[in-house]
Amino acid sequence: MTTQSEFKKVVLAYSGGLDTSVILKWLEDTYGCEVVTFTADLGQGDELEPARIKAQKMGVKQIFIEDLREEFIRDYVFPMFRANAVYEGEYLLGTSIARPLIAKRLVDIANQTGADAIAHGATGKGNDQVRFELGAYALKPGIKVIAPWREWDLLSREKLMAYAKTHDIPVDFAAAGKKSPYSMDANLLHISYEGGNLEDPWWTPEESMWRWSVSAEAAPEQGEEFVLTFVKGDPVAINGEALSPATLWEKLNKLGGAHGVGRLDLVENRYVGMKSRGCYETPGGTIVLKARRALESITLDRGVAHLKDELMPRYAEMIYNGYWWSPERVMLQAAIDASQAYVNGDVRLRLYKGNVQVLGRRSDDTLFDPSIATFEDDAGAYDQRDAAGFIKLNALRMRIAAQAGRHF
Amino acid sequence: MTTQSEFKKVVLAYSGGLDTSVILKWLEDTYGCEVVTFTADLGQGDELEPARIKAQKMGVKQIFIEDLREEFIRDYVFPMFRANAVYEGEYLLGTSIARPLIAKRLVDIANQTGADAIAHGATGKGNDQVRFELGAYALKPGIKVIAPWREWDLLSREKLMAYAKTHDIPVDFAAAGKKSPYSMDANLLHISYEGGNLEDPWWTPEESMWRWSVSAEAAPEQGEEFVLTFVKGDPVAINGEALSPATLWEKLNKLGGAHGVGRLDLVENRYVGMKSRGCYETPGGTIVLKARRALESITLDRGVAHLKDELMPRYAEMIYNGYWWSPERVMLQAAIDASQAYVNGDVRLRLYKGNVQVLGRRSDDTLFDPSIATFEDDAGAYDQRDAAGFIKLNALRMRIAAQAGRHF
Amino acid sequence: MTTQSEFKKVVLAYSGGLDTSVILKWLEDTYGCEVVTFTADLGQGDELEPARIKAQKMGVKQIFIEDLREEFIRDYVFPMFRANAVYEGEYLLGTSIARPLIAKRLVDIANQTGADAIAHGATGKGNDQVRFELGAYALKPGIKVIAPWREWDLLSREKLMAYAKTHDIPVDFAAAGKKSPYSMDANLLHISYEGGNLEDPWWTPEESMWRWSVSAEAAPEQGEEFVLTFVKGDPVAINGEALSPATLWEKLNKLGGAHGVGRLDLVENRYVGMKSRGCYETPGGTIVLKARRALESITLDRGVAHLKDELMPRYAEMIYNGYWWSPERVMLQAAIDASQAYVNGDVRLRLYKGNVQVLGRRSDDTLFDPSIATFEDDAGAYDQRDAAGFIKLNALRMRIAAQAGRHF
Amino acid sequence: MTTQSEFKKVVLAYSGGLDTSVILKWLEDTYGCEVVTFTADLGQGDELEPARIKAQKMGVKQIFIEDLREEFIRDYVFPMFRANAVYEGEYLLGTSIARPLIAKRLVDIANQTGADAIAHGATGKGNDQVRFELGAYALKPGIKVIAPWREWDLLSREKLMAYAKTHDIPVDFAAAGKKSPYSMDANLLHISYEGGNLEDPWWTPEESMWRWSVSAEAAPEQGEEFVLTFVKGDPVAINGEALSPATLWEKLNKLGGAHGVGRLDLVENRYVGMKSRGCYETPGGTIVLKARRALESITLDRGVAHLKDELMPRYAEMIYNGYWWSPERVMLQAAIDASQAYVNGDVRLRLYKGNVQVLGRRSDDTLFDPSIATFEDDAGAYDQRDAAGFIKLNALRMRIAAQAGRHF
């Protein structure tokens, strides 16, 4: 599809790990191009400096290292949570929502450095290649994308190690030794596990797999209560303390993780067509989703709430499939954002051994009107006889049908 | 709307409690009609014989008492769960799904006894009046419905008691004394609480309100594991033991309740227009929903799964609003049932202090194909290079748009 | 529900015709209130001055007469057409979209004059009462609404005439004599016919019923071509001549009517539960809908276009049912408006004997790229081999299912 | 992806024309395989015998020639029309719906003859390759598909002709000489035109392009009236004469074509990502769609009708994109078919110069109840006062919101 000479400079999404280090070298060798590295802190918990040092050692001249945590939560996670987005009833889209930001930065850096291609370390079987590439193409239609895993024959760990050795790529053998048997991905929103024994959906993962949370069993006997405050649908404060998006989310992750909150073990349908087992820890996201729904329950109009619920699966599918940078996502986001003006207020929560309990919700913008809903005398706020007419007219079409002899 | 002489005989949904006993008498007095009582066992946990004795004492000649538990689970709860129906993201529709069956039996009995009207004890502010009456009108378009709470002026407990005394209605003062401060409803699927302090959505209900489940805190330290087996989407066995629908559900309720599973505390939007706080215990339903989704995750095709998820909120809304006996519910049910032929298999579950954990899922009809999803070499089952074309064509429209200068 | 003394001043939607003149008098008599009249020009084609004179004669002190044609097209018709809104596959919502504006003005005038109620002449069987009242309640929740047709017993033409005579209400007997046998409603968007012989859906209306258009048969042998220009989805010019919204629409009505364009004869489902036959003439709307779709076909992204098509029936239902002034309509409108930024360009049209033919469409914002779609050599713009991968991955889930023995 | 030796026998969708004749030879040469030809009569209007003779001349041993017209209309067109399927608001899916049947027969014949691959003559830019191949993969997951247009370099007419000459392939030079400048496809449902000057969307096709219909201008001055009868949503008789599916459709095509009915000129979004101009003649389909909607308007319940309208765009997209043989199409079809039990009755139609006018509709299963909808006195069938309660409760949530200070 492309000839080697096409590429003069390639921006690589570089983690500093073995795979992307091999890719770095392989790109230079295969395409004779200069490689620019881009390493981002999305809250995955790794040090970034080692990546810089490693890139320098490998002779990279342009090294981009960026802390994108606030941008990630504020401009990607927050908008997505406004939709209460959940994929296939369970998955909180932790990996999916990080990819568009990385795609955007890769393209930005390509523009800035005059690179003619980008490269990533995602495999040809997964969703991430789609998310990276759809984003890149949407943002810079003429960009070239190199996905070494779809091209090369270094298809086993052993071959990678051999390549590293041959090409003098620094390998952290200590790290390689204690490597998890799972393929993992992490950012401020979640950590995920795939592969290995998880490929048997009847198998239960061992406790040691999980890294961010204790088990419900191991969680403290004493639960923890706090108040989460929202403005226009986004969480802004814990127990009254205003926090920046990333700081708040990090704190919720710690709180949730300490109480065994946010573990998921599921089988999902990948966009590329196969089913895949994934385990996820999303402590903060689990808390925010539960709290947001509680606050929306008193501040959203019913018509809006139901419309949101009906649109949500479609929206979640867009994010999952990699269409963040698409006009239809932007179109749906306009509707979702338009629904959030009054989603302001507090939710009182309790975390206890894997549970997120809503203890109460309140808002200056509440639509909960106890004077109408009350079982007590409502002093005329609601005329019960109206209900008879309401029912009669709603029943009319079915009465006519029944009269015509139809049976349901 | 109707004149008294219209009604010769009225079928009353009769619980045996104070309210419907007063209604029984009030109907006779107000309309000069004969009252037929109908009392059903839907698993609410009350003895039915006292209702019979009380009705006899009040001079009722035609008394219908029926055990509808199996029919309720098999023909109403099972079909609804096939849709993974959840209202407003949380509510499992425990009350909503019982009403259509009661409506149907009221109409059947009206046909059988030659009654010209039915009556119920639901208030004019709630959803249940709508569900009873839409059902009745759809099944028998010429039926008359009497809803005393929308007509009379006995709008407080005191007035009801006074009426009972005046009219010599037997009141169980012991029961009345220890009456819950909440309005409650129960059947095999759930028990609900409304009213009282719950009308303040910031207030947390006291532990003693909950009747079916222990709190997560009070649940045993030792969790419980078992295997739930499904055939065509319906649960049929626990740990390999085949059980009738109602027996199985009852057992799941006990298991769940013992481990603090299935409590909900939420604010919902009623069909009649106001928001209302409700607390629910749905132990069995919570387990079945979680297990069903796990089984569907390996047995449903992606296209079907996503379509189901998009249709679900609409389906749930139909049930909630009282449209079980509607042609559009039947139409949607046809699609949902058509999706369940292969939802067969086992789900291994663990209950622990409020959590329902899926430990594993397996099926002879699984679509999970580890030879394709694997991170290991797949021996050519999947050609990674196909992904490049897949992405390219999916990106094409966005590339054209970007080339035309559009920004998303 | 209300006692007479509650109303001091009532704003009446007043046409100047017999019905609303009787209502005017009846309101004064029944409620002892002052009546403020509001008469609007929405393009229905009636003179407004006679209404003023008649109101003065009847002693009305506050008379509001307003030309709302530009506001109607710009702020109601344009936004609705951006959605390509069609109710039940056919109806262009001509009556539905006028009601929210009238409701708004009634409420505005009530606020301005200190009136405590509004009144309208819509019957208790139709959709218009719902549209007026939902709008009024949404805009001013404490407003009272008087709908005489639901209250009084003047249920026949004869009784109305007798009441008019008794109460000295000026009746234009000449007009009454040549009154159409149909119930009609008109504004700049359409004219409608209901009732009379139309209540037999097998019956074909006589040619003389139609008032705005000639029949296809009677239309000229020579068709008419012109170019309609759109900016952000709204029509702004005919043959290059910029026109105000109402002027443009009026011109399209004339063009369409002259060529037999825009007649509809259908049975629709009313919100209040029954089916109803309606005939409509919507010449301009028919042209704009066809032209807009043609322009969207080259300027909208596929994802956006399909999402719009899926949301449209819901949007149209909202308008039809009277929920213009609802938060869910506003939410959907945000999405629809967000889709229209690039719907700019020209459509060349031909009207001929009932047909609207699209002859061509062009836009500076076109996404139609002949270099890709071409059957000729595309110089590498599109790599046909990408299609193989695209198909392979899209087929993967179905292949796995077939391999598992499933048959579709 | 495949090596030549893999294929022993290939089933080719063979029209007898130049392209598929070249493909026949090319397959033999390139893969050293035996070719089985399959030629179907779907009503495209070509003789089939010449295809047989040509195949024989080219040495084909197994020649399948089948008349699939009845099966096509009955099992593909009828079910699709039950959904009122229209793609992107205009296109009646004439090509899309023929592909699944051809895919099925190719697979059947592969099974029957022991072939290991199928081949087709669709290009790599269009939708048809997707439709053929998705169908084939879904029906026989291990099948191989050869799409010569994606593989070879015979990318111009000249190269094809040269190849034919070199390989002694019989070319009908007379036919080749008068070849249309457009790429065409035809079956009983429609004929389509693409390419050539149509690639400029501002250009209007010359009259001579259209083959099945006269122009509105050239249509007779005298219109034509007839009655179309439906049973369970499918058309079964014209003017009382029962006709087989294909016979009926053919007759409607003739009737429509004679009166200029069913021309379309549009730009559509292909599944493979680009926009494409297409012109279509669908006389019978245009008539049936219009008539079906008219009949559904009196026989379908509102809830069902609206649900159908909301699901339709999704269903149409499935067909267009090639997912006829998918579980989600089957699932939706179950709902659609479940809605059609009562769609029985007559529609009186008039064709006149491009117009299809509905003159009347009637059904023994009508839900149109004039005694309720009437503007005349309805003798109590409908209590207008019910409307007040209906409106009040529907307005309640918006009143509460307005009271809380919200503005829409």
Side-chain angles (χ1 to χ4, degrees), chain C residues 1 88 124-125 201 204 217 270 275 300 302 306 317 328 350 353 355 359 361 384 397 399, chain D residues 88 124 141 201 204 217 270 275 300 302 306 317 328 350 353 355 359 361 372 384 392 397:
Chain C
M1 206 173 313
E88 298 186 342
K125 285 185 169 181
T204 310
E217 287 82 349
R270 286 195 193 148
K275 289 179 182 295
L300 281 193
R302 183 186 70 200
H306 289 201
E317 188 185 66
E328 66 269 26
R350 186 157 182 280
K353 283 187 172 285
N355 299 280
L359 304 179
R361 58 305 261 165
Q384 303 215 17
R397 64 185 172 94
R399 293 177 81 179
Chain D
E88 299 187 340
T204 310
E217 286 81 349
R270 286 195 192 148
K275 289 179 182 294
L300 281 192
R302 182 185 71 200
H306 290 201
E317 189 185 67
E328 66 268 27
R350 187 158 183 278
K353 284 188 171 285
N355 299 281
L359 303 179
R361 56 308 257 164
I372 286 179
Q384 304 215 16
K392 277 287 188 63
R397 64 186 171 94

Side-chain angles (χ1 to χ4, degrees), chain B residues 101-116:
Chain B
L101 172 52
I102 295 173
K104 180 177 179 295
R105 292 302 301 143
L106 285 170
V107 165
D108 288 346
I109 294 171
N111 285 334
Q112 194 180 329
T113 61
D116 36 26

